[in-house]
RNA sequence: CGGGGCGUAGCGCAGCCUGGUAGCGCGGCAGCUUUGGGAGCUGUAGGUCGUGAGUUCGAAUCUCACCGCCCCGACCA
């Protein structure tokens, strides 16, 4: 129960009943509704602002940085309990339910079956795949009174696979795709940006089970297509990128990104073909081989006292860091490997591990570096170093006139021509791609962008089904592990992404499909009887027509109501005031376009419905 | 976990350097006036200045420790 002051009032909340809920009318009406702005729940009805709880804020709370987070708070949609933990207020919850509804409808349409798994799991389930250790740090771990170890589920591969292992026996029962919309718990290293990265958040997760990888590909494609529809229906423009599979394992995956400067993920897209990939994954080539001054000279040792980092050495030689050949010592499955990359580039360890076919890859510590190169950290170089595996980034191909460590303290070598001076060097793409690189597919140029990951689809293979015994019998009675896929959508994050992508200086601009209400009726003066009566009547009519209406009946100054209206950003705003009424008209304004129309009160219902239709999903 | 910043009334902030018992704007409440883009006047309520310890006659202010929050990084299904 919401604690209320004795008067039953609290920050803009009025007329709450003893259960802390707004008073509901008797006997819900049941209506068929198929549009977001036309209803979330059966039995909805026109809502008066004075009876709702929409605590808008004039100013942004200081701990909100990005527009969507500020607007969620200012529009009275969410409130913070603690870092990464938020309460959804009525307006925010309505929008969230709309996203959920779209997700649910599209998952159902795609043939997925909704279930609901526990959020609380016994540790043993996670031990069975070894992921207790993998995910140890992100899982919230608790004990019950019997001292049994439990975790709050960060994801559900183990749980669903265990279910399938018990319930699915025959190829006749496949394919199956189970999904749920449920709260996930992750002990994020750094929660941030409101709902964007929270410790507790709502996720739609789906898991497909198929007889073989061809069938699994079909399931994957079905989910991929469903995701395209889901995000389109949410009014989002998404970019689909190739992604790394990370701790999930599996063979391939795609992420659905909402492009935004505040996005946490970097990605590149080609300006010539349709290649796009997460930076963790992106392949790229250099546009041209690099040759520098002194390219013709012989390798020469130079004293570089105290110059250890790339920046220091570049400064010493008064040259570009790109001219340096950065030499790093890694241990690949325990064996030392020298890795060469351009001085202005960072090693992508995911790519490197793949290139080396190493299952464990760590940087050598200072002692090992000294042991291997014969020099302290900062002076490693490939020239003359034998007996070790050497791998260079392919962007170093044709590098001439480079500068690198001499494997002696305080010394570097110049005029390095890798082909000449380091014979037999192997090349691979092992650095992070970046904007301006060449596209590995078509040779076009990659553009670097940032995005919010709202969806992620994976082909998982048989990793989990084998470990958890999710086998089925084929026609010949032979046992096979089911081939799996998994598919996630960050529901709460998607909601925030909608706002991040659709707002202006005045507030949110809701796509109709997600908007908490379809129409706001703004009665300019609550004192003016004719206005308020007309507002109520029109609200009732719209309600009857299946449109969710918020009636701003507050006794506030017009400016306050207009500002709040823009802030909460419902798709259509109907203004009813004495002045326009004197001319026999009311005003209808589309939030997204600013388009304004006037019509007579008699024609209002029809006009509004028409405008919603024209601007609907 | 490393680096940086911030914690003073519901929200946004000043005061802190140079110690003397807390202030501004918005918001709340009451009244009057006002009513088409965040009104005006009057009155009023509201703060153990994040917590704890220390220095001092005296601490929001100085010192130390802790807690919380935000940003950057590492990490990320």
């Amino acid at each position: 129960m919401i604690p209320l002051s004795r008067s039953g009032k609290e920050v803009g909340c009025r007329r709450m009943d003893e259960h802390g809920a707004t008073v509901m009318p008797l006997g819900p009406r049941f209506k068929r509704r198929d549009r977001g702005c036309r209803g979330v729940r059966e039995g909805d009805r026109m809502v008066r602002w004075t009876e709702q709880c929409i605590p808008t804020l004039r100013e942004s709370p200081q701990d909100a940085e990005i527009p969507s987070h500020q607007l969620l708070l200012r529009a009275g949609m969410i409130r913070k309990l603690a870092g990464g933990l938020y309460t959804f207020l009525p307006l925010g919850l309505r929008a969230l339910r709309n996203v959920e509804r779209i997700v649910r409808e599209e998952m159902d349409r795609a043939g997925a079956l909704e279930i609901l798994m526990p959020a609380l799991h016994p540790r043993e389930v996670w031990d069975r795949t070894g992921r207790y250790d993998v995910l140890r740090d992100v899982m919230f771990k608790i004990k019950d009174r019997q001292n049994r170890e439990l975790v709050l589920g960060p994801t559900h591969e183990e749980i669903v696979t265990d279910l399938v292992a018990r319930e699915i026996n025959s190829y006749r029962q496949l394919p199956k795709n189970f999904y749920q919309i449920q709260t996930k718990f992750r002990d994020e290293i750094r929660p941030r940006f409101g709902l964007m990265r929270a410790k507790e958040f709502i996720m739609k997760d789906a898991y497909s089970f198929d007889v073989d990888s061809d069938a699994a590909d079909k399931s994957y494609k079905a989910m991929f297509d469903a995701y395209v529809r889901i995000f389109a229906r949410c009014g989002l423009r998404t970019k689909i990128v190739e992604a790394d599979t990370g701790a999930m394992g599996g063979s391939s995956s795609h992420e659905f990104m909402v492009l935004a400067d505040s996005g946490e993920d970097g990605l590149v897209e080609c300006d010539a073909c349709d290649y796009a990939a997460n930076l963790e994954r992106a392949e790229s080539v250099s546009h041209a081989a690099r040759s520098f001054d002194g390219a013709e000279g012989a390798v020469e040792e130079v004293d570089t006292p105290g110059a250890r980092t790339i920046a220091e050495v570049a400064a010493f030689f008064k040259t570009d860091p790109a001219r340096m050949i950065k030499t790093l010592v890694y241990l690949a499955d325990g064996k030392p490997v020298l890795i060469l990359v351009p001085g202005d580039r960072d090693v992508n360890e995911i790519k490197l591990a793949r290139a080396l076919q190493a299952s464990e890859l760590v940087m050598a510590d200072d002692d090992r570096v000294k042991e291997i190169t014969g020099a302290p950290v900062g002076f490693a170089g490939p020239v003359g170093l034998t007996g070790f595996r050497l791998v260079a980034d392919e962007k170093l191909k044709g590098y001439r006139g480079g500068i690198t460590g001499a494997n002696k303290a305080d010394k570097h070598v110049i005029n390095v021509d890798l082909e000449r001076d380091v014979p037999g060097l192997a090349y691979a793409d092992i650095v992070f791609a970046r904007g301006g690189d060449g596209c590995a597919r078509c040779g076009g140029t990659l553009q670097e962008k940032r995005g919010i990951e709202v969806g992620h689809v994976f082909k998982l293979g048989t990793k989990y089904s084998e470990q958890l015994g999710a086998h089925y019998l084929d026609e010949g009675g032979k046992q096979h592990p089911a081939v799996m896929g998994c598919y996630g959508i960050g529901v709460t994050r998607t909601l925030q992404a909608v706002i991040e992508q659709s707002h202006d200086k005045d507030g949110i601009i809701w796509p109709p499909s997600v908007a908490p209400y379809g129409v706001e009726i703004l009665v300019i003066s609550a004192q003016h009887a004719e206005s308020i009566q007309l507002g109520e009547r029109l609200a009732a009519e719209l309600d009857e027509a299946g449109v969710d209406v918020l009636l701003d009946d507050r006794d506030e100054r017009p400016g306050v109501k207009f500002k709040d209206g823009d802030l909460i950003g419902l798709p259509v705003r109907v203004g009813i005031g004495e002045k326009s009424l004197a001319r026999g008209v009311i005003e209808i304004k589309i939030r997204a376009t600013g388009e304004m129309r006037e019509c007579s009160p008699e024609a209002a219902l029809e006009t509004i419905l028409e405008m919603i239709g024209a601007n609907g999903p």
Side-chain angles (χ1 to χ4, degrees):
Chain A
M1 187 191 295
I2 301 170
L4 292 173
S5 59
R6 225 163 306 155
S7 65
K9 294 182 180 179
E10 190 90 349
V11 284
C13 304
R14 300 185 191 194
R15 290 193 48 184
M16 314 256 296
D17 69 8
E18 69 274 25
H19 303 301
T22 49
V23 181
M24 293 293 286
L26 297 171
R29 279 167 289 162
F30 293 92
K31 291 176 193 160
R32 169 92 179 86
R33 287 166 175 171
D34 56 7
R35 279 221 171 102
C37 62
R38 296 190 173 185
V40 181
R41 295 161 298 214
E42 304 287 1
D44 271 345
R45 87 287 183 232
M46 170 263 289
V47 169
R48 292 178 178 82
W49 193 304
T50 53
E51 297 174 356
Q52 252 296 354
C53 178
I54 309 173
T56 57
L57 302 174
R58 185 188 295 241
E59 293 169 286
S60 290
Q62 59 160 12
D63 55 4
E65 188 86 353
I66 64 173
S68 54
H69 185 195
Q70 292 173 344
L71 290 169
L72 280 165
L73 291 163
R74 287 190 56 208
M77 309 226 312
I78 61 168
R79 284 295 183 262
K80 182 171 70 177
L81 171 66
L85 301 171
Y86 291 86
T87 295
F88 278 85
L89 298 178
L91 214 54
L93 184 60
R94 290 183 64 98
L96 179 67
R97 294 291 184 234
N98 282 331
V99 176
E100 287 180 2
R101 180 181 44 75
I102 290 168
V103 169
R104 190 170 272 125
E105 286 175 6
E106 292 301 331
M107 293 305 290
D108 290 345
R109 183 208 294 261
L113 307 170
E114 185 168 8
I115 59 174
L116 183 60
M117 292 180 267
L120 205 51
H121 312 155
R123 172 187 170 155
E124 290 70 38
V125 182
W126 289 88
D127 280 332
R128 288 173 65 193
T129 56
R131 283 217 298 177
Y132 183 86
D133 294 320
V134 176
L135 298 176
R136 177 187 295 274
D137 292 337
V138 297
M139 290 200 286
F140 286 101
K141 298 169 280 285
I142 49 182
K143 287 182 179 172
D144 68 10
R145 64 176 75 202
Q146 259 71 257
N147 221 27
R148 254 172 70 92
E149 293 184 62
L150 300 164
V151 302
L152 287 170
T155 179
H156 281 73
E157 283 76 19
E158 279 76 0
I159 315 306
V160 74
T161 308
D162 178 73
L163 175 79
V164 168
R166 294 167 198 277
E167 307 303 330
I168 304 285
N169 309 304
S170 160
Y171 72 96
R172 291 175 201 272
Q173 295 168 289
L174 296 177
K176 283 285 177 286
N177 186 341
F178 295 104
Y179 81 98
Q180 63 174 349
I181 296 175
Q182 195 234 26
T183 302
K184 297 280 191 271
F185 299 86
R186 296 183 187 175
D187 190 358
E188 292 290 348
I189 296 171
R190 181 147 92 89
R192 63 180 127 183
F193 300 149
L195 305 178
M196 212 62 102
R197 179 168 294 270
K199 289 185 175 174
E200 178 184 323
F201 59 98
I202 296 172
M203 185 178 201
K204 185 285 305 175
D205 47 326
Y207 307 88
S208 64
F209 297 83
D210 281 281
V211 292
D212 57 30
S213 65
D214 282 350
D217 286 349
K218 289 199 184 76
S219 295
Y220 185 85
K221 179 68 165 51
M223 284 294 104
F224 188 101
D225 293 344
Y227 276 32
V228 170
R229 294 183 58 89
I230 286 167
F231 295 120
R233 283 185 64 187
C234 288
L236 285 167
R237 298 179 301 280
T238 50
K239 181 80 196 172
I240 300 168
V241 303
E242 293 183 11
D244 189 74
T245 51
M248 295 296 299
S251 57
S252 81
S253 83
H254 289 89
E255 288 170 341
F256 289 71
M257 295 285 201
V258 172
L259 296 181
D261 291 339
S262 59
E264 294 187 84
D265 289 274
L267 59 98
V268 289
E269 58 179 328
C270 179
D271 63 0
C273 71
D274 61 0
Y275 181 70
N278 191 307
L279 276 185
E280 291 173 356
R281 163 86 184 191
E283 298 164 15
S284 72
V285 296
S286 58
H287 267 315
R290 300 241 183 110
S291 186
F292 300 94
D293 298 341
E296 305 308 319
V299 172
E300 192 180 318
E301 212 169 272
V302 178
D303 283 328
T304 55
R308 187 176 285 270
T309 65
I310 292 290
E312 287 163 1
V313 178
F316 181 89
F317 286 105
K318 296 185 173 54
T319 187
D320 196 302
R323 188 172 178 177
M324 307 292 130
I325 299 167
K326 196 194 295 190
T327 307
L328 302 160
V329 184
Y330 275 89
L331 298 174
D333 296 323
K335 288 191 189 141
V337 189
L338 264 75
I339 302 304
L340 274 43
V341 301
D344 59 341
R345 294 279 187 161
D346 293 319
V347 171
N348 179 333
E349 294 186 359
I350 296 166
K351 284 185 179 179
L352 179 59
R354 199 175 293 137
L356 296 173
Q357 296 186 309
S359 53
E360 193 197 341
L361 185 70
V362 290
M363 280 194 86
D365 60 29
D366 293 5
D367 292 342
R368 288 302 295 274
V369 171
K370 191 157 189 182
E371 182 185 316
I372 291 160
T373 68
V377 171
F379 304 99
V383 180
L385 204 62
T386 53
F388 299 103
R389 190 171 173 193
L390 283 159
V391 178
D393 184 67
E394 63 81 34
K395 290 171 193 62
L396 286 172
K397 258 185 196 164
Y399 239 55
R400 302 168 73 193
I403 299 172
T404 192
N407 298 316
K408 292 177 189 166
D410 292 329
K411 285 186 196 301
H412 281 78
V413 288
I414 61 171
N415 301 340
V416 174
D417 176 336
L418 283 177
E419 273 173 54
R420 180 190 68 189
D421 303 322
V422 191
L425 189 55
Y427 290 91
D429 177 14
I430 53 175
V431 297
F432 279 99
R434 66 183 181 202
D437 283 353
C439 173
R441 303 281 164 86
C442 79
T445 300
L446 298 178
Q447 309 292 319
E448 193 168 333
K449 307 251 170 98
R450 299 202 65 78
I452 300 162
E453 181 192 347
V454 289
H456 202 158
V457 293
F458 296 85
K459 293 182 186 178
L460 287 179
T462 56
K463 172 182 167 183
Y464 296 98
S465 45
E466 281 174 19
Q467 291 182 104
L468 293 161
H471 300 288
Y472 69 92
L473 295 177
D474 67 15
E475 294 94 321
K478 197 161 171 252
Q479 198 176 61
H480 305 275
V483 181
M484 292 175 59
C486 78
Y487 318 94
I489 288 178
V491 176
T492 36
R493 178 185 285 185
T494 297
L495 176 64
Q496 186 166 344
V498 169
I499 298 172
E500 190 67 24
Q501 203 173 63
S502 184
H503 68 271
D504 63 16
K505 65 175 173 48
D506 295 316
I508 300 168
I509 301 172
W510 285 115
S513 58
V514 183
Y517 296 92
V519 174
E520 172 180 342
I521 296 180
L522 196 160
V523 177
I524 288 163
S525 171
Q527 308 285 341
H528 187 242
E530 194 188 338
S531 295
I532 195 85
Q533 279 162 17
L534 179 57
E536 302 239 348
R537 199 180 77 215
L538 186 55
E541 286 173 3
L542 283 164
D543 185 37
E544 206 54 43
V547 179
D548 283 339
V549 182
L550 178 64
L551 178 70
D552 189 350
D553 59 336
R554 293 176 298 171
D555 187 11
E556 285 286 356
R557 297 184 63 83
V560 172
K561 301 172 88 161
F562 283 124
K563 288 289 186 190
D564 274 349
D566 289 342
L567 179 60
I568 69 171
L570 303 184
V572 174
R573 186 183 76 206
V574 180
I576 300 177
E578 199 170 351
K579 288 191 183 167
S580 57
L581 233 38
R583 291 189 287 121
V585 297
I586 63 170
E587 292 152 1
I588 306 167
K589 188 173 180 184
I590 303 296
R591 176 69 176 90
T593 61
E595 179 197 346
M596 171 91 87
R597 254 204 256 176
E598 293 188 338
C599 70
S600 69
E602 292 71 36
L605 179 64
E606 197 183 334
T607 307
I608 294 164
L609 291 177
E610 181 196 319
M611 289 177 83
I612 290 174
N615 289 277

